């Protein structure tokens, strides 16, 4: 497949959105988003349900196309006409969604490689190689030892935490420069939450960037370099780590909710 | 009480004998096939212990098998195609007209495949781009192409006796070593090739993920629209090929030659164990499922049961096979069933 990597060139921002807007008919899902993510920055994205967090992520990763606005990846302008999920993959962006990122009835090895299969030149998949790498990801990267899960396990037989693990392991394997986590801890047991948070830290130490959508303020506050708050499609606050304590942040968000309803756009 | 006890054990992680056997592709339906053959051998030995009946199956089943193999991929993607009987008529007409008017059966072969591709392309575009559910699109196009074939042929049939003994006849309807019907070899080759496409090719994997969940497929970077169009086009091409096999074998084209293929071909797919919900499919199952369908009628008649019984027995085999697949593939349903059996024993 594509072996040329856009990695070698140096850049300031892995992704930068300029005045990004998206409307579904009369509904403005995003309006005038300006957001830049540094090369090795962990940005927590917070906001209420329907604030536009998921829509913003989908726009950045080529799932949906915005109504207007510009996107720069590694400081280079993106042409919306050729931007797609596949292109985002090629540019080493990886999204781990809450759900809907794994095919339920398919074996694990297919889920790791779907869309980026290892094939011969006729498009036939090298199954043995994909299986071997999948087992390697399970054992070395995720520590799935002796729990009866292997490359041939069907996704529907895995727990919620195990599924997050597979999706995260996939992102690690493909060596993404920007990993987007969409509420990765939402359905997990406490011990599994710790693992996920450790992984987010390892994203930082390995020099990558991360956008981390999270409901649990304690988790993001502890991890993120910067917190971006979305409210009804707009960025309403951009807070650097250390500027606010967890208590101040919580109060700020509650105040926002109350004031927001009074002055919010029609 | 066996239900309560067994539901606590983590059976998913340590599969029992039946689920493990279920991993051998198509095994349940292969067993049903063998049982049926043995049954017919006992019930109608004068017919089923000789070669001719099997050679006859190998000439009659292949067109249906080619269709059912294509349908297996369509169903795997969570779609359906009901227009293939008209492909048999329309592509068959194109083949026939090239032979009778232009004297070129080879051009006819190309025209039939291209005509099938066109039908599939229209279906796929309406489904993937416009977003009409495939069951509705293909009901509509099934009427249209059948009508087109009737109009173009004037409802007439074409005798194609002159093809007998020609190269194209020998290749698609002759007998290898004077025994083995060529169409069976073609169908087998297509089955093997399509098994690799479904299970080992990037396209097949995309089809399975689309059938599993369109959203997941899209997020994973699968071009759902393009792959769906390709899928229906492939089905159309296979329909065109089936039309050629059928027309050459019969040495005759008639504009209603697709009638009677719709339900048997679909039954072959579902008897084989391909899930109507999409995301999983078995070519091996379809292969044996189609032969079961193709064998039942001759078999039932040969056993001396009146011909009226054929459809009723086909229905029983169909429902029994589909239930068997569900039970074997789902440990929970298997447990529930064994629980019922256990309770009955206690009474």
């Amino acid at each position: 497949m594509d072996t040329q990597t856009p990695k070698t060139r140096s850049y300031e921002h892995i992704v930068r959105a300029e005045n990004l807007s998206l409307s579904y008919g009369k509904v403005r899902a995003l309006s005038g988003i300006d957001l830049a993510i540094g090369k090795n920055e962990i940005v927590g994205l917070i906001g209420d349900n329907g604030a536009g967090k998921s829509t913003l992520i989908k726009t950045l990763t080529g799932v949906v196309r915005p109504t207007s606005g510009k996107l720069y990846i590694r400081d280079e302008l993106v042409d919306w006409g050729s931007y797609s999920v596949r292109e985002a993959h090629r540019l080493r962006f990886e999204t781990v969604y809450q759900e809907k990122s794994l095919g339920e009835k398919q074996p694990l090895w297919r889920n790791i490689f779907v869309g980026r299969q290892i094939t011969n030149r006729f498009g036939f998949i090298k199954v043995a190689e994909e299986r071997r790498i999948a087992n390697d990801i399970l054992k070395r990267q995720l520590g799935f030892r002796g729990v009866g899960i292997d490359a041939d396990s069907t996704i529907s037989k895995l727990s919620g935490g195990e599924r997050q693990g597979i999706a995260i392991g996939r992102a690690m394997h493909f060596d993404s420069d920007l990993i987007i986590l969409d509420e990765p801890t939402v359905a997990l047991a406490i011990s599994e939450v710790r693992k996920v948070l450790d992984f987010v830290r390892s994203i930082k130490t390995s020099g990558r960037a991360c956008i981390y959508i999270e409901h649990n303020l304690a988790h993001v506050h502890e991890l993120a370099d910067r917190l971006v708050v979305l409210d009804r499609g707009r960025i309403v606050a951009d807070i650097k780590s250390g500027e606010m304590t967890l208590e101040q942040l919580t109060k700020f968000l509650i105040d926002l909710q109350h004031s927001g309803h009074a002055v919010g756009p029609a | 009480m066996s239900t309560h006890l067994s539901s606590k054990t983590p059976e998913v992680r340590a599969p029992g004998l039946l689920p493990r056997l279920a991993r051998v592709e198509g095994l349940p339906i292969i067993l049903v096939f063998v049982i049926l053959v043995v049954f017919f051998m006992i019930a109608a030995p004068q017919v089923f212990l000789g070669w001719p009946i099997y050679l006859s199956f190998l000439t009659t089943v292949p067109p249906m098998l080619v269709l059912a193999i294509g349908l297996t991929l369509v169903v795997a993607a969570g779609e359906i195609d009901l227009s293939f009987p008209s492909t048999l008529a329309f592509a068959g007409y194109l083949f026939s007209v090239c032979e009778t008017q232009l004297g070129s059966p080879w051009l006819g072969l190309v025209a039939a495949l291209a005509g099938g591709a066109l039908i599939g392309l229209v279906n796929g575009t309406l489904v993937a781009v416009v977003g009409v559910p495939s069951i509705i699109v293909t009901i509509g196009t099934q009427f249209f192409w059948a009508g087109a074939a009737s109009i173009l042929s004037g409802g007439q049939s074409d005798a194609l006796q002159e093809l007998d003994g020609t190269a194209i006849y020998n290749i698609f309807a002759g007998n290898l070593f004077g025994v083995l019907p060529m169409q069976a070899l073609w169908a087998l080759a297509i089955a093997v090739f399509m098994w690799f496409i479904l299970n080992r090719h990037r396209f097949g994997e995309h089809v399975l993920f689309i059938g599993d969940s369109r959203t997941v497929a899209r997020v994973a970077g699968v071009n759902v629209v393009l792959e769906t169009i390709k899928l229906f086009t492939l089905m159309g091409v296979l329909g065109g090929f089936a039309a050629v096999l059928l027309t050459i074998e019969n040495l005759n084209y008639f504009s209603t030659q697709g009638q009677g293929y719709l339900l048997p071909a679909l039954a072959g797919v579902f008897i084989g164990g391909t899930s109507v919900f999409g995301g999983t499919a078995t070519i091996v199952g379809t292969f044996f499922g189609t032969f079961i369908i193709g064998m039942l009628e001759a078999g039932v008649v040969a056993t001396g049961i009146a011909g009226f019984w054929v459809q009723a027995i086909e229905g029983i085999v169909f429902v029994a096979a589909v239930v068997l697949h569900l039970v074997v593939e789902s440990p929970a349903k298997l447990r529930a069933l064994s629980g019922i059996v256990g309770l009955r024993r206690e009474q």
Side-chain angles (χ1 to χ4, degrees):
Chain A
M1 297 285 294
D2 262 309
T3 45
Q4 56 176 72
T5 67
K7 252 198 137 166
T8 42
R9 209 169 43 79
S10 74
Y11 52 86
E12 189 187 354
H13 293 119
I14 178 72
V15 64
R16 181 156 60 89
E18 234 178 62
N19 201 19
L20 217 57
S21 295
L22 175 63
S23 306
Y24 295 111
K26 284 180 185 169
V27 183
R28 294 212 92 177
L30 296 174
S31 46
I33 299 285
D34 288 307
L35 177 67
I37 312 286
K39 187 180 180 180
N40 183 22
E41 199 177 21
I42 295 187
V43 175
L45 197 56
I46 47 187
D48 242 344
N49 287 330
K53 303 185 301 275
S54 291
T55 313
L56 176 56
I57 293 315
K58 282 180 180 157
T59 316
L60 297 181
T61 54
V63 180
V64 296
R65 205 162 285 179
T67 320
S68 64
K70 286 177 181 168
L71 186 69
Y72 297 85
I73 293 175
R74 294 185 186 79
D75 307 332
E76 276 182 20
L77 184 63
V78 165
D79 170 22
W80 290 115
S82 62
Y83 194 50
S84 63
V85 175
R86 187 175 284 274
E87 180 64 8
H89 272 162
R90 202 185 67 76
L91 293 168
R92 295 181 181 277
F93 282 18
E94 179 79 34
T95 313
V96 177
Y97 287 101
Q98 293 169 31
E99 46 191 28
K100 291 289 176 198
S101 68
L102 299 171
E104 289 277 316
K105 299 174 191 168
Q106 314 307 323
L108 213 149
W109 61 270
R110 282 196 193 274
N111 270 287
I112 287 179
F113 289 96
V114 64
R116 287 174 289 200
Q117 294 92 340
I118 304 171
T119 63
N120 66 15
R121 71 184 126 143
F122 303 110
F124 286 97
I125 299 166
K126 294 178 177 169
V127 175
E129 196 176 338
E130 288 197 356
R131 272 209 184 99
R132 185 179 54 72
I133 296 172
N135 274 322
D136 197 60
I137 291 171
L138 287 178
K139 292 209 180 80
R140 299 241 180 99
Q141 296 192 344
L142 300 172
F144 278 21
R145 247 177 260 267
V147 283
I149 298 173
D150 64 16
D152 286 306
S153 303
T154 308
I155 297 299
S156 59
K157 291 176 183 169
L158 306 185
S159 75
E162 289 164 346
R163 288 175 204 210
Q164 285 293 352
I166 304 306
I168 287 167
R170 179 167 66 181
M172 291 169 87
H173 174 73
F174 286 102
D175 205 21
S176 309
D177 286 338
L178 173 65
I179 297 176
I180 298 166
L181 303 171
D182 190 352
E183 303 197 27
T185 58
V186 81
L188 302 191
I190 293 166
S191 60
E192 286 178 292
V193 169
R194 295 283 12 138
K195 281 188 199 163
V196 174
L197 296 183
D198 284 345
F199 169 62
V200 179
R201 279 192 196 92
S202 77
I203 295 176
K204 174 79 178 175
T205 51
S206 65
R208 297 158 218 252
C210 173
I211 300 177
Y212 184 3
I213 301 179
E214 179 64 80
H215 260 130
N216 188 321
L217 289 179
H219 293 163
V220 256
H221 189 261
E222 144 184 17
L223 276 170
D225 297 318
R226 199 147 61 91
L227 292 174
V228 171
V229 185
L230 274 178
D231 187 45
R232 269 155 289 173
R234 293 172 193 278
I235 292 178
V236 291
D238 195 330
I239 307 153
K240 284 200 177 61
S241 172
E243 277 183 4
M244 279 189 187
T245 64
L246 183 56
E247 288 72 26
Q248 287 171 322
L249 177 66
T250 312
K251 186 172 180 306
F252 173 79
L253 290 176
I254 291 170
D255 288 349
L256 177 78
Q257 229 173 9
H258 288 288
S259 66
H261 282 292
V263 296
Chain B
M1 289 298 97
S2 57
T3 43
H4 281 194
L5 283 173
S6 56
S7 63
K8 275 179 197 161
T9 56
E11 248 163 280
V12 178
R13 294 288 155 87
L17 182 66
L18 268 174
R20 219 183 305 150
L21 276 178
R23 277 193 204 154
V24 177
E25 189 180 336
L27 188 72
I29 206 62
I30 295 175
L31 289 179
V32 172
F33 177 80
V34 170
I35 289 167
L36 271 173
V37 171
V38 170
F39 171 77
F40 286 138
M41 280 175 168
I42 294 165
Q46 73 287 3
V47 175
F48 275 84
L49 288 178
W51 280 112
I53 185 75
Y54 298 103
L55 292 180
S56 144
F57 290 147
L58 292 182
T59 60
T60 55
V61 174
M64 192 158 77
L65 185 53
V66 171
L67 294 168
I69 288 164
L71 276 173
T72 305
L73 269 77
V74 174
V75 173
E79 304 287 356
I80 194 82
D81 186 346
L82 304 178
S83 71
F84 60 87
S86 300
T87 311
L88 288 182
F90 185 75
Y93 167 75
L94 293 177
F95 173 78
S96 169
V97 81
C98 285
E99 161 59 19
T100 53
Q101 304 298 314
L102 306 170
S104 174
W106 293 103
L107 185 67
L109 173 66
V110 174
L113 296 181
L118 174 69
I119 292 173
L121 187 66
V122 171
N123 285 340
T125 307
L126 287 170
V127 171
V129 180
V130 184
V132 192
S134 54
I135 188 167
I136 293 169
V137 165
T138 56
I139 285 175
T141 53
Q142 119 90 17
F143 280 117
F144 176 79
W145 295 108
S150 296
I151 295 165
L152 290 169
S153 66
Q156 304 284 308
S157 65
D158 286 329
L160 302 168
Q161 294 300 331
E162 71 272 16
L163 283 177
D164 199 356
T166 60
I168 200 166
Y169 180 88
N170 289 333
I171 288 172
F172 291 112
N175 293 320
L176 190 68
F177 310 124
V179 200
L180 212 54
M182 287 299 290
Q183 53 267 59
L185 294 178
W186 280 100
L188 181 64
I190 287 173
V192 171
F193 180 70
M194 293 305 289
W195 187 92
F196 277 97
I197 292 291
L198 176 66
N199 296 295
R200 290 291 177 266
H201 197 273
R202 195 191 296 141
F203 173 69
E205 187 165 286
H206 290 171
V207 164
L208 290 170
F209 272 84
I210 290 170
D212 204 324
S213 158
R214 281 164 180 282
T215 315
V216 169
R218 200 160 29 236
V219 167
V222 175
N223 188 334
V224 176
V225 170
L226 188 67
E227 299 294 59
T228 305
I229 292 175
K230 277 203 284 194
L231 175 65
F232 277 92
T233 307
L234 175 68
M235 177 67 209
V237 171
L238 288 172
F241 186 68
V244 171
L245 286 184
L246 183 68
T247 312
I248 294 182
E249 169 62 26
N250 291 340
L251 288 173
N252 193 8
Y253 162 77
F254 49 103
S255 61
T256 55
Q257 67 181 4
Q259 286 178 10
Y261 276 86
L262 179 63
L263 294 178
L266 282 170
V269 174
F270 292 122
I271 284 183
T274 291
S275 164
V276 72
F277 302 111
T280 59
T282 157
I283 297 280
V284 176
T286 296
F287 188 89
F288 285 95
T290 308
F291 269 100
I292 287 174
I293 285 289
M295 186 174 67
L296 272 178
E297 181 164 353
V300 172
V301 173
T303 54
I305 304 170
F308 310 121
W309 281 81
V310 170
Q311 287 200 325
I313 291 174
E314 280 174 352
I316 290 168
V317 171
F318 180 87
V319 173
V322 172
V323 169
L324 178 73
H325 288 301
L326 263 180
V327 167
V328 170
E329 272 154 29
S330 155
K333 291 201 179 73
L334 189 63
R335 272 202 304 274
L337 202 71
S338 60
I340 293 168
V341 175
L343 284 176
R344 276 190 192 148
R345 239 184 260 135
E346 278 166 35
Q347 280 170 354

